[in-house]
Amino acid sequence: MIKKLFLLVFSAAFAFGAEAKVSLYELLSTPNNKSLLKQLGRENVLSSKSEPGTQTIFFASAKSKPELFYVLEFYEDEAAYKKHISSAHFKKFASESSEILASKKAISVKKRAAYSKNLTPERLKEAYFRITNLSLKAKSDSKFEKIVKKYIQKSVDEGAYAQFAFSQKEAPNKWILVEIYKDEASFESYRHSENYKAYAKERAGLIDEFDGFGLKNETSFSKVKF
């Protein structure tokens, strides 16, 4: 029995990525090269799926600015990440994409909260992604984290597949929220829910700046549950 309990605890820690390495990139393609970047990104993501330590990769483009892309990745640990970036398929992506990128920004983040439900390939294929950048008022970090953890877990249901909250390591008062919904209608439905209204009310006095926009899934997978 003790052995079984140990294995369950160990498995849960792996599933939730207790020691996970998280990386977030913002990529801007040069004019007329967004289709090529999509292709290169797709090839890299699909090849990365077979890597044992690569847990999740979300590759999406901004709906209002199709040449702007975001890549959110979770790895089992730092060693798995280093193995990924030393792979032939990643080196190919890095080399060929560098010629068509207007800019590339690595955003160093710390995972503050993450919840997901059934991130199957079928669900992710047509999913609606949303990213929100926000700045907190001074000394609001810990209070905001409690509010986020209180409400976003409740928001994950049949229409909302996942909710992630990160703070930037170099600027802890700046947070990034990534949400995944069945479709845009599901997102709009959530915004009118009692859970969201209560969440928005509690966080209102803690935020200085707020900017959110929709993303289109390009190629994504997740092998773990958050």
Side-chain angles (χ1 to χ4, degrees):
M1 178 63 72
I2 294 175
K3 184 177 180 181
K4 287 183 178 179
L5 287 172
F6 172 79
L7 289 174
L8 285 172
V9 172
F10 178 81
S11 298
F14 174 79
F16 283 91
E19 301 298 327
K21 159 74 176 179
V22 185
S23 67
L24 176 63
Y25 291 93
E26 181 183 271
L27 310 176
L28 181 66
S29 74
T30 51
N32 304 317
N33 278 313
K34 60 181 181 292
S35 295
L36 179 54
L37 185 58
K38 285 182 186 180
Q39 178 187 330
L40 293 172
R42 175 179 172 79
E43 291 172 359
N44 178 56
V45 172
L46 294 180
S47 295
S48 301
K49 191 174 182 179
S50 61
E51 298 170 346
T54 302
Q55 299 178 329
T56 299
I57 298 182
F58 301 125
F59 177 50
S61 58
K63 283 180 168 288
S64 59
K65 192 175 182 179
E67 64 271 24
L68 181 63
F69 295 80
Y70 288 89
V71 187
L72 175 60
E73 307 167 324
F74 291 84
Y75 299 90
E76 182 179 351
D77 49 30
E78 186 72 26
Y81 170 71
K82 289 181 178 178
K83 188 173 182 179
H84 166 74
I85 62 176
S86 66
S87 67
H89 58 265
F90 176 79
K91 288 180 178 179
K92 177 178 183 290
F93 169 75
S95 174
E96 295 188 15
S97 65
S98 65
E99 300 177 6
I100 60 169
L101 287 178
S103 67
K104 176 181 178 180
K105 180 181 179 182
I107 306 171
S108 183
V109 295
K110 175 184 178 182
K111 184 179 72 175
R112 305 299 287 268
Y115 299 97
S116 70
K117 181 177 182 178
N118 299 331
L119 292 175
T120 62
E122 293 75 19
R123 283 187 161 204
L124 286 171
K125 186 177 180 180
E126 301 298 331
Y128 173 75
F129 285 61
R130 191 166 183 86
I131 188 167
T132 301
N133 297 288
L134 53 87
S135 297
L136 300 180
K137 293 181 179 178
K139 299 180 181 180
S140 297
D141 185 82
S142 60
K143 188 173 183 180
F144 184 69
E145 181 179 27
K146 288 179 182 178
I147 293 172
V148 166
K149 288 182 175 179
K150 178 181 177 182
Y151 288 104
I152 70 172
Q153 185 175 15
K154 297 178 183 178
S155 72
V156 176
D157 55 23
E158 288 304 312
Y161 298 157
Q163 301 274 354
F164 300 94
F166 310 94
S167 57
Q168 294 190 37
K169 290 183 178 179
E170 297 177 0
N173 69 311
K174 294 185 181 298
W175 282 56
I176 298 172
L177 309 181
V178 177
E179 306 162 79
I180 305 176
Y181 296 88
K182 179 181 179 180
D183 48 31
E184 191 166 358
S186 296
F187 164 69
E188 292 297 337
S189 176
Y190 170 62
R191 286 183 61 217
H192 292 90
S193 69
E194 293 304 315
N195 182 65
Y196 180 82
K197 290 176 182 177
Y199 164 58
K201 183 177 180 180
E202 281 199 43
R203 74 180 187 185
L206 307 178
I207 298 174
D208 261 340
E209 298 179 4
F210 183 96
D211 177 38
F213 51 93
L215 304 175
K216 176 182 179 295
N217 176 50
E218 297 298 343
T219 310
S220 301
F221 72 84
S222 182
K223 298 186 287 187
V224 298
K225 181 179 179 180
F226 297 89

